[in-house]
Amino acid sequence: MARSRRRAAEAEAVRETVGGGVAELRPDPDRPRAWTLLVDGAPQSHVDLDDPGRLSFPYQRRLGHVVDLAAPAGRPLTAVHLGGGA
């Protein structure tokens, strides 16, 4: 088993009851520091801490395009999207 898959397999999902059901952070089996957020089993979002520019969901890519237009070209930008779905 590849090292990254082994680390992801060792990570455990985190579950919590929220107003909209059960939220779960599930480790990505292919990326050692990536997580998917699910609510009642439906994927909501994804983050790869080693590659934060990897935007897996269409709504994330749309936000990325907006940030690209709003920020000066080639300059780093620090931002956090807190979301609201879950």
Side-chain angles (χ1 to χ4, degrees), residues 8 10 15 19 22 31 37 55 60 66 68 73:
E10 293 168 1
R15 292 174 191 82
V22 176
R31 297 179 172 272
L37 170 66
L55 306 174
Q60 291 176 315
V66 169
D68 284 344

Side-chain angles (χ1 to χ4, degrees), residues 13-58:
V14 178
R15 292 174 191 82
E16 185 68 35
T17 300
V18 296
V22 176
E24 177 182 9
L25 279 174
R26 185 179 297 170
D28 185 324
D30 297 320
R31 297 179 172 272
R33 292 186 356 115
W35 297 83
T36 301
L37 170 66
L38 300 96
V39 176
D40 285 342
Q44 304 292 313
S45 191
H46 183 271
V47 64
D48 185 340
L49 299 174
D50 290 330
D51 184 7
R54 185 174 191 276
L55 306 174
S56 300
F57 284 73

Side-chain angles (χ1 to χ4, degrees), residues 52-77:
R54 185 174 191 276
L55 306 174
S56 300
F57 284 73
Y59 84 88
Q60 291 176 315
R61 289 189 290 276
R62 286 192 293 275
L63 285 171
H65 294 310
V66 169
V67 169
D68 284 344
L69 293 172
R75 302 276 309 258
L77 179 70

